[in-house]
């Protein structure tokens, strides 16, 4: 079965860290661009970070630049999102999505735009609170 599964969410204090993982089953992640998106209560889903399939420089939303780092582990078929210096406004459900066609990769990784793909995980909740 082809699917993405996020893990690593939980409760963190402001200034703390969490590491999210996006694991693929049934396909090889390194042939896909992977985007992390998040949705806070009452808000629309927004792009957080993206790494393409050509090892280009990753993209980050301004709100997380310098604090979050996206990376691949091809041996484990996963993409991780290291989140440091967490803030209460980072509280959200975090989702990973995978795309392969050039137009979708451009939209997701250049513009951090949510694209039409059936490769989305179910999300992992991150709560930042003291």
């Amino acid at each position: 079965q082809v699917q993405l599964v996020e893990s690593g969410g939980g409760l963190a204090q402001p200034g703390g860290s969490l590491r999210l993982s996006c694991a693929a089953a049934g396909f090889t992640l390194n042939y896909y661009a992977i985007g992390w998106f998040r949705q806070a209560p009452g808000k629309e889903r927004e792009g957080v970070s993206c790494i393409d399939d050509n090892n280009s420089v990753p993209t980050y939303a301004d709100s997380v630049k310098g604090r979050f780092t996206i990376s691949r582990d091809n041996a484990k078929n996963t993409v991780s999102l290291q989140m440091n210096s967490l803030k209460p406004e980072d509280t959200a459900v975090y989702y990973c999505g995978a795309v392969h066609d050039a137009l979708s990769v451009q939209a997701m990784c250049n513009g951090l735009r949510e694209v039409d793909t059936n490769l989305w995980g179910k999300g992992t909740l991150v709560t930042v609170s003291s």
Side-chain angles (χ1 to χ4, degrees):
Q1 184 178 3
V2 175
Q3 62 178 350
L4 288 171
V5 179
E6 302 94 339
S7 62
L11 176 64
Q13 292 189 339
S17 299
L18 285 173
R19 186 176 182 88
L20 305 184
S21 180
C22 174
F27 69 104
T28 303
L29 266 185
N30 58 312
Y31 298 125
Y32 289 76
I34 305 300
W36 281 99
F37 290 72
R38 67 186 181 186
Q39 188 165 18
K43 295 188 176 181
E44 293 186 353
R45 191 177 297 194
E46 63 174 353
V48 175
S49 181
C50 186
I51 187 166
D52 71 10
D53 51 349
N54 288 321
N55 292 321
S56 301
V57 176
T59 308
Y60 298 96
D62 288 342
S63 58
V64 307
K65 206 169 290 184
R67 300 188 297 122
F68 290 10
T69 303
I70 191 171
S71 62
R72 288 183 182 273
D73 187 334
N74 290 336
K76 295 182 179 179
N77 207 23
T78 60
V79 171
S80 296
L81 185 69
Q82 178 66 42
M83 307 187 298
N84 299 328
S85 303
L86 284 164
K87 305 175 181 181
E89 50 264 42
D90 294 319
T91 295
V93 178
Y94 284 71
Y95 302 88
C96 63
V99 293
H100 180 66
D101 65 281
L103 286 178
S104 296
V105 171
Q106 184 176 21
M108 180 181 279
C109 283
N110 288 354
L112 287 177
R113 294 196 298 274
E114 191 174 359
V115 298
D116 185 17
T117 173
N118 59 353
L119 290 174
W120 284 103
K122 294 183 178 181
T124 184
L125 176 62
V126 171
T127 303
V128 184
S129 175
S130 54

